[in-house]
Amino acid sequence: MQQEIVSLRQQFQSDLKPVNTSADLESVKVKYLGKKGPVQNLMKLLKDVPAEQRPEAGKWINDLKEEISETLSAKLHQLINVEEKSQLSKEKIDISLPGRRHFSGRKHIVTQTMDEIIDIMIGLGFSVQYGPEIDSEYYNFEALNFAPDHPARDMQDTFYISPQTLLRTHTSNVQARVMETNPPPLRIISPGTAYRNEDITARSHVMFHQIEAFYVDENVSFADLFSTMQAFLDKFFEPGIPTRYRPSYFPFVEPGLEVDIRCISCNGQGCMLCKHTGWLEIAGAGMIHPEVLKNCNIDPEKFSGFAWGMGIERPAILKYGINDIRIFMENDVRFLSQFHKF
Ligand code: 2U9
């Protein structure tokens, strides 16, 4: 037994010598101290040793086991030290290097403008409704009192997906749907994207954004339209901004109006922005046509309503002095990154 212990000790030392990684050391540990290893085998052989020699033989084996354990643990510390040092030397950081710039995303200027308008309108008691961008001819035109031969229904002006389905040309389709299924009083805004089959130029695009507002109740009058519009414009542009209303025609309102604000660039003196008129067109509006109310299951004898519609790009253009509508769709970071106020 003594002889076997001596040769096991020698064998262990020669196995340990070439070890230079903690992973290899673990293999040596398993080999010598594992359940099926030589130290455990010696323990099993103890029962064949004469009883009077057994305590001494047991002590030799325990001493060997302890010696192997301590040697392995000392070597492990040594290897970990070396490995950590080599890892740290690879991970050296040059603290004199300049910091990396952190680019954070922000909302698109159209979304920022839309959010600002939504916030103002919510403050005036309106709630927000969204609806489908692909809709039927009925909700986009027919329910809104567009005559069957109205030019907007033409394929030259509207993107049709099938004879009865199209990309909405305004967000009024949402109002028609809301009115059809909800009784007054209704104070709703519908923000979203709309599409028109137009040439893409500095002033027009096939895709643009809109917000429409409508209020239907008993005794809603022009006074409600004017005061709501003024309250909105005061907040969006500047308090007390002068406005003017010009008669206009839209199939879904009667009477219809166009809303101008005094030019925010020249204060009405006349400049390039307002084409020397002193005024900027900002929205269309009017009292909801009785036919539209009827189409949407609302009794025009009992209820009336006002509605207005406004493109989002246009006020953004006016507010931020942008001169080309196409730039909104180009996703040029040099343009987009200028708008980080909100
Ligand atoms: C229903 C009834 C009436 C919404 C209105 C306008 C006038 C208008 C244009 C402004 C610029 C669209 O983005 S734009 O090209 N809109 O002039 N919109 S009244 O009237 C409605 C809407 C829905 C059921």
Side-chain angles (χ1 to χ4, degrees), residues 3 31 98 121 126 130 202 318:
Q3 190 48 48
K31 178 177 172 187
M121 294 307 291
F126 286 72
Y130 296 92
L318 298 176

Side-chain angles (χ1 to χ4, degrees), residues 143-144 169-173 175-176 179 196 208-214 250 252-253 257-258 281-289 292 296 306-312:
L144 297 164
T169 59
H170 41 209
T171 57
S172 316
N173 64 328
Q175 277 102 306
M179 278 204 276
R196 287 183 194 168
F208 63 105
H209 299 83
Q210 270 201 325
I211 267 199
E212 292 202 341
F214 81 107
F250 306 101
F252 32 88
V253 284
L257 303 163
E258 270 170 276
E281 188 188 318
I282 191 74
M287 300 306 292
I288 300 176
H289 199 292
V292 175
C296 299
F306 74 72
W308 51 257
M310 192 167 68
I312 302 297

Side-chain angles (χ1 to χ4, degrees), residues 30 66 128 145 177-178 215 244-245 264 282 286 288 300 305 319:
V30 172
E66 219 165 278
V128 187
N145 200 36
R177 286 170 176 277
V178 171
Y215 172 34
R244 73 174 187 185
Y245 294 83
I264 48 175
I282 191 74
I288 300 176
K319 203 166 173 173

Side-chain angles (χ1 to χ4, degrees), residues 93-94 97-103:
I93 298 168
D94 182 352
L97 281 174
R100 287 199 194 111
R101 252 187 92 181
H102 175 69
F103 290 97

Side-chain angles (χ1 to χ4, degrees), residues 29-67:
K29 184 178 175 181
V30 172
K31 178 177 172 187
Y32 284 89
L33 298 182
K35 273 187 190 152
K36 290 180 183 155
V39 176
Q40 210 55 30
N41 279 345
L42 284 178
M43 288 287 193
K44 284 177 197 155
L45 291 178
L46 261 185
K47 64 177 184 334
D48 303 327
V49 173
E52 65 278 9
Q53 292 170 16
R54 216 175 283 154
E56 199 179 6
K59 187 174 177 307
W60 292 338
I61 299 169
N62 274 335
D63 286 350
L64 173 69
K65 195 175 169 184
E66 219 165 278
E67 187 187 320

Side-chain angles (χ1 to χ4, degrees), residues 15-25 75 79-80 82-83:
D15 275 355
L16 195 65
K17 228 178 217 161
V19 170
N20 55 15
T21 68
S22 49
D24 287 350
L25 189 72
K75 180 96 181 173
L79 287 175
I80 285 176
V82 172
E83 283 168 6

Side-chain angles (χ1 to χ4, degrees), residues 108-299:
H108 191 284
I109 180 61
V110 166
T111 311
Q112 288 183 28
T113 310
M114 192 109 100
D115 286 353
E116 197 187 352
I117 297 174
I118 291 171
D119 276 356
I120 296 171
M121 294 307 291
I122 286 175
L124 294 175
F126 286 72
S127 48
V128 187
Q129 284 285 336
Y130 296 92
E133 288 179 25
I134 298 174
D135 209 346
S136 64
E137 211 186 12
Y138 175 79
Y139 286 110
N140 195 79
F141 290 131
E142 206 173 321
L144 297 164
N145 200 36
F146 280 78
D149 58 350
H150 192 284
R153 293 199 185 208
D154 201 285
M155 280 178 70
Q156 305 295 321
D157 293 300
T158 298
F159 290 114
Y160 281 83
I161 285 166
S162 72
Q164 300 297 321
T165 324
L166 43 76
L167 292 182
R168 68 178 178 192
T169 59
H170 41 209
T171 57
S172 316
N173 64 328
V174 180
Q175 277 102 306
R177 286 170 176 277
V178 171
M179 278 204 276
E180 197 182 56
T181 43
N182 298 279
L186 292 166
R187 270 191 303 264
I188 305 286
I189 52 168
S190 53
T193 315
Y195 305 84
R196 287 183 194 168
N197 193 357
E198 292 193 26
D199 290 339
I200 298 177
T201 68
R203 294 180 62 82
S204 68
H205 209 288
V206 290
M207 175 183 168
F208 63 105
H209 299 83
Q210 270 201 325
I211 267 199
E212 292 202 341
F214 81 107
Y215 172 34
V216 180
D217 201 351
E218 289 180 36
N219 301 317
V220 174
S221 71
F222 259 137
D224 298 298
L225 194 169
F226 295 144
S227 56
T228 312
M229 180 62 83
Q230 189 67 47
F232 165 71
L233 296 173
D234 283 351
K235 284 224 155 64
F236 188 76
F237 288 104
E238 61 195 45
I241 187 158
T243 46
R244 73 174 187 185
Y245 294 83
R246 290 174 287 113
S248 190
Y249 172 76
F250 306 101
F252 32 88
V253 284
E254 181 58 35
L257 303 163
E258 270 170 276
V259 187
D260 297 344
I261 52 168
R262 197 177 66 191
C263 181
I264 48 175
S265 171
C266 65
N267 270 336
Q269 300 305 302
C271 67
M272 295 271 278
L273 187 67
C274 61
K275 298 200 194 91
H276 302 281
T277 63
W279 295 95
L280 297 168
E281 188 188 318
I282 191 74
M287 300 306 292
I288 300 176
H289 199 292
E291 280 306 313
V292 175
L293 293 175
K294 255 192 259 172
N295 289 341
C296 299
N297 307 325
I298 291 176
D299 179 2

